[in-house]
Amino acid sequence: GAGVSQSPSNKVTEKGKDVELRCDPISGHTALYWYRQRLGQGLEFLIYFQGNSAPDKSGLPSDRFSAERTGESVSTLTIQRTQQEDSAVYLCASSLGGANTGELFFGEGSRLTVL
Amino acid sequence: AQTVTQSQPEMSVQEAETVTLSCTYDTSENNYYLFWYKQPPSRQMILVIRQEAYKQQNATENRFSVNFQKAAKSFSLKISDSQLGDTAMYFCAALDSGGGADGLTFGKGTHLIIQP
C-alpha cells in the first residue's frame, strides 16, 4: 500500500509475555519513528531510525524495549516481559529524510493491552 | 529541544462555527518548524498545516489557518466553518532546524468535538 502499515492493529497479552509490533514504512522514506501514546495523552518519543545511521534510542523507557530496522525497510518494536503500564497505542511514522522535511506520515497504530 | 503547551484539553463547538485551538511553545532556536496534526478516532495522525518560523505570512490550507506570533511564541489553529468530520484530537508540534527525532516535540493535544 501507499501508506505506513502497522500490525497487529490490536494486541492483548498477559503480563510477563513478550510482544512484537511491526511497522512497514512508505517506500523510499529513510526516517522511521516509534511513538507511544497512552490513553488521552500526547505522543511520547521512543526511537528514531535515519537511513543507515545508528538509531536514536533516547526515548526508550527501559531495557525491556528494543527496536530494529534493516536498512530502510520494515521495523520491529519488541517489548519484553510486558507490564500493565505498557498498555498504550504504539504509533509508527516515516518521512523523507529528517523530520525537518516537514511531514511525518503515520500508521494507524498498534493498540497493546496488557492484562 | 522545545516545550509545546496546549492549554485546552477539550473544546466543543457547533457545526459551522469557527474555532481556535491554542498552542504556545518555547525554543532557543532561531529557525524552526511548527505543525498541527489531526488524529481522528481511526488513530491515524494526519498533517493539517505547517509553518516555517522564518516566514512571516501565516499558513493557510482551505478552512484551516494559523495565527503565528513569533515574538509571543504562539501558534494557534483556526478552523472555519467547522464540520462534523473535524472532530478529532489536534496536536501542535515543534521541530528545530537540526531535525532528528529529539528535535520534534508534540503537545498533549486538544480534543475537539463538533456538535451537530
Side-chain angles (χ1 to χ4, degrees):
Chain A
V4 176
S5 178
Q6 290 189 247
S7 61
S9 178
N10 289 284
K11 174 73 176 179
V12 179
T13 190
E14 293 180 348
K15 179 181 173 181
K17 296 286 182 69
D18 297 352
V19 296
E20 280 192 357
L21 308 177
R22 175 188 168 105
C23 174
D24 199 344
I26 293 173
S27 178
H29 281 194
T30 60
L32 186 146
Y33 312 75
W34 282 99
Y35 290 91
R36 178 169 68 180
Q37 186 178 27
R38 290 197 167 108
L39 186 63
Q41 301 296 311
L43 275 66
E44 177 186 359
F45 165 69
L46 296 177
I47 190 168
Y48 164 63
F49 296 89
Q50 172 59 283
N52 292 316
S53 302
D56 176 357
K57 302 180 180 181
S58 60
L60 294 178
S62 77
D63 59 8
R64 295 187 297 105
F65 288 73
S66 63
E68 293 183 350
R69 187 186 187 196
T70 304
E72 296 179 0
S73 62
V74 171
S75 175
T76 302
L77 176 69
T78 301
I79 308 173
Q80 295 178 310
R81 304 181 302 281
T82 52
Q83 304 293 313
Q84 289 182 333
E85 67 206 41
D86 300 333
S87 295
V89 174
Y90 290 82
L91 291 169
C92 175
S94 69
S95 69
L96 282 169
N100 56 358
T101 60
E103 183 170 2
L104 269 61
F105 293 83
F106 285 84
E108 294 188 355
S110 294
R111 182 182 298 280
L112 174 65
T113 303
V114 182
L115 301 177
Chain B
Q2 296 93 184
T3 58
V4 177
T5 302
Q6 294 179 250
S7 59
Q8 305 150 312
E10 185 171 290
M11 295 187 71
S12 180
V13 299
Q14 296 290 318
E15 191 176 8
E17 290 184 347
T18 293
V19 60
T20 299
L21 308 183
S22 65
C23 173
T24 58
Y25 60 92
D26 189 16
T27 180
S28 58
E29 298 288 330
N30 189 47
N31 191 23
Y32 50 91
Y33 303 80
L34 299 166
F35 311 90
W36 278 98
Y37 279 89
K38 171 184 178 182
Q39 186 180 39
S42 69
R43 299 199 309 239
Q44 188 166 25
M45 300 267 285
I46 305 164
L47 179 67
V48 174
I49 201 164
R50 172 179 185 253
Q51 175 84 39
E52 291 145 338
Y54 65 86
K55 290 187 177 179
Q56 293 185 339
Q57 185 173 8
N58 288 326
T60 299
E61 288 287 341
N62 301 313
R63 296 183 296 107
F64 299 87
S65 61
V66 299
N67 182 5
F68 174 45
Q69 299 183 10
K70 191 172 184 178
K73 296 183 178 177
S74 171
F75 183 61
S76 60
L77 174 69
K78 185 172 83 172
I79 306 174
S80 303
D81 185 26
S82 57
Q83 301 174 0
L84 297 179
D86 295 333
T87 293
M89 285 290 293
Y90 287 82
F91 293 94
C92 179
L95 171 72
D96 67 38
S97 58
D102 188 52
L104 180 61
T105 304
F106 286 86
K108 292 188 181 298
T110 296
H111 184 203
L112 176 64
I113 300 168
I114 309 299
Q115 305 275 8

